[in-house]
Amino acid sequence: MTAAEQPRVALITGGSKGLGAGLVDAFLDAGYRVATCSRSKTDTVRAWEEDPRIDGRFHFMAADVSDRDDAERFVKDAAGRWGQIDVLVNNAGVAREGVIALFGDDALDQVVDLNIKGTVYVTRAASRVMLAKRSGSIVNISSIVGLSGYRGLSVYAATKAALDGFTRSLARELGSRGITVNSVAPGYLRTEMSHGLDPQQMVQITRRTPMGRLGEPQDVARAILFLTDPTNRYITGQVLVVDGGLTC
Amino acid sequence: MGADQSTVRAVITQFLARAEKSHDELTDETPLFGDGLGLDSLEAAELSAMLEDEFGSDPFSAGGEMPDTVGDIQAFYEAASTA
């Protein structure tokens, strides 16, 4: 297999559980080499590491991307290992629930540091690899709450809206170098991130969703694979909502 | 690849070619910006990334003084090799 025929490389932050794990699965199924990171290793990660079917196509690094050095180490390790980064999915994020009047400083720092600064750290490092190759696709995982808001999630919503602004600016900045940048804004997913919602809220959300169910990671993965497909050289700077029609 | 004068200039020449920027001859005194190579900020970032990709480090993102000339880039690698 020549270098040109090597599988494409995707970096997915926060891929050890929830939506991120679903994205890692989807990119592995699509034949990519996938590097992911999270603060600690999960059983899901151990299963990938021991799976002979993806031998040499999966790499995990324990890293907290809200830490600048960790974020750069994660990107440089993957680029050094495989020599290229074709896709970056900035998935790592955290939601802390609470009304703003009582929102604690530690929670504020945690949400801003991971959701915004962590995304910027990883993107800055990965964009250098993509610039050198004049090619790449970046997807930032935002959220419909960044578009419509949600009571008790104001700080989380603010960070997700910030990512959409980051997406649009980067699309303008990097488009001339063959790099696309988009956001994917999931609705309410059946993952751990939605567990902060109480059962009544979940029922209400499901009832209001035209497709009649919560989202699955695979629903989001399909949108990301579409946006990062090498034949997509024209869709950039967009926020693609994947919410079963909830906000339509 | 070692960052000697010819290889550093080869990377700069490669960058100029793909950026479709023409320049007669590179000397140590050739300015990177303005009336020299006329790099804008994104072009400087791109050259920085290409240099890092080739040599593992680059003078634009190393945190020191930003290079102004082709010779400044060469001097960065010479200093690194003697450190």
Side-chain angles (χ1 to χ4, degrees):
Chain A
M1 186 177 280
T2 67
E5 294 168 330
Q6 287 287 328
R8 283 159 57 81
V9 173
L11 268 61
I12 301 170
T13 63
S16 67
K17 61 183 179 180
L19 172 60
L23 301 182
V24 170
D25 250 341
F27 274 82
L28 287 171
D29 286 349
Y32 279 73
R33 290 174 283 178
V34 178
T36 191
C37 65
S38 66
R39 287 184 300 175
S40 55
K41 192 178 281 190
T42 61
D43 288 343
T44 303
V45 170
R46 291 186 192 93
W48 284 322
E49 287 179 331
E50 293 165 7
D51 187 343
R53 292 170 300 174
I54 55 174
D55 186 35
R57 286 201 297 119
F58 174 75
H59 179 67
F60 172 83
M61 173 183 281
D64 174 2
V65 297
S66 68
D67 179 280
R68 185 173 53 210
D69 291 340
D70 268 18
E72 291 182 356
R73 193 167 52 90
F74 168 61
V75 173
K76 287 188 174 181
D77 177 83
R81 179 178 303 272
W82 289 324
Q84 65 197 71
I85 298 173
D86 301 293
V87 173
L88 167 64
V89 182
N90 284 308
N91 165 74
V94 62
R96 294 289 297 269
E97 193 267 345
V99 295
I100 194 63
L102 297 173
F103 207 78
D105 287 345
D106 289 346
L108 173 60
D109 287 344
Q110 183 190 21
V111 175
V112 171
D113 286 354
L114 180 57
N115 296 10
I116 299 181
K117 292 172 76 174
T119 297
V120 172
Y121 293 149
V122 173
T123 304
R124 180 172 60 185
S127 73
R128 294 179 58 79
V129 180
M130 292 178 176
L131 273 174
K133 309 287 185 198
R134 280 203 166 191
S135 170
S137 301
I138 298 170
V139 171
N140 295 316
I141 302 298
S142 62
S143 168
I144 58 167
V145 306
L147 300 168
S148 60
Y150 200 93
R151 182 174 52 111
L153 285 174
S154 60
V155 175
Y156 176 75
T159 63
K160 293 301 184 179
L163 291 189
D164 291 342
F166 188 54
T167 289
R168 286 186 283 269
S169 297
L170 283 185
R172 292 179 183 277
E173 190 169 301
L174 300 174
S176 66
R177 301 306 192 266
I179 301 168
T180 64
V181 189
N182 291 286
S183 283
V184 167
Y188 298 95
L189 303 180
R190 207 164 52 82
T191 65
E192 292 153 5
M193 188 76 93
S194 300
H195 291 177
L197 301 172
D198 63 43
Q200 193 178 355
Q201 286 173 309
M202 299 290 253
V203 168
Q204 193 177 44
I205 289 165
T206 303
R207 197 170 55 229
R208 289 179 178 173
T209 300
M211 297 310 292
R213 63 172 174 85
L214 297 176
E216 299 289 344
Q218 297 312 309
D219 296 316
V220 180
R222 272 188 287 276
I224 298 172
L225 284 166
F226 163 70
L227 290 170
T228 60
D229 187 279
T231 59
N232 170 32
R233 306 311 316 150
Y234 207 59
I235 303 171
T236 193
Q238 303 304 307
V239 179
L240 178 52
V241 174
V242 182
D243 69 350
L246 179 63
T247 57
C248 71
Chain B
M1 184 186 290
D4 58 28
Q5 186 187 68
S6 62
T7 54
V8 168
R9 289 194 185 175
V11 172
I12 298 173
T13 301
Q14 183 190 353
F15 161 75
L16 292 173
R18 81 179 198 181
E20 298 179 345
K21 298 177 82 74
S22 61
H23 195 271
D24 293 338
E25 187 184 354
L26 297 178
T27 69
D28 282 352
E29 289 72 38
T30 303
L32 300 174
F33 306 99
D35 292 338
L37 301 183
L39 303 188
D40 63 23
S41 56
L42 184 58
E43 287 167 341
E46 188 176 0
L47 175 58
S48 157
M50 289 178 70
L51 289 165
E52 185 190 14
D53 190 46
E54 192 68 37
F55 305 121
S57 63
D58 80 280
F60 294 89
S61 61
E65 199 165 323
M66 289 284 276
D68 286 324
T69 65
V70 169
D72 289 345
I73 295 176
Q74 185 60 51
F76 169 83
Y77 291 110
E78 287 171 359
S81 68
T82 57

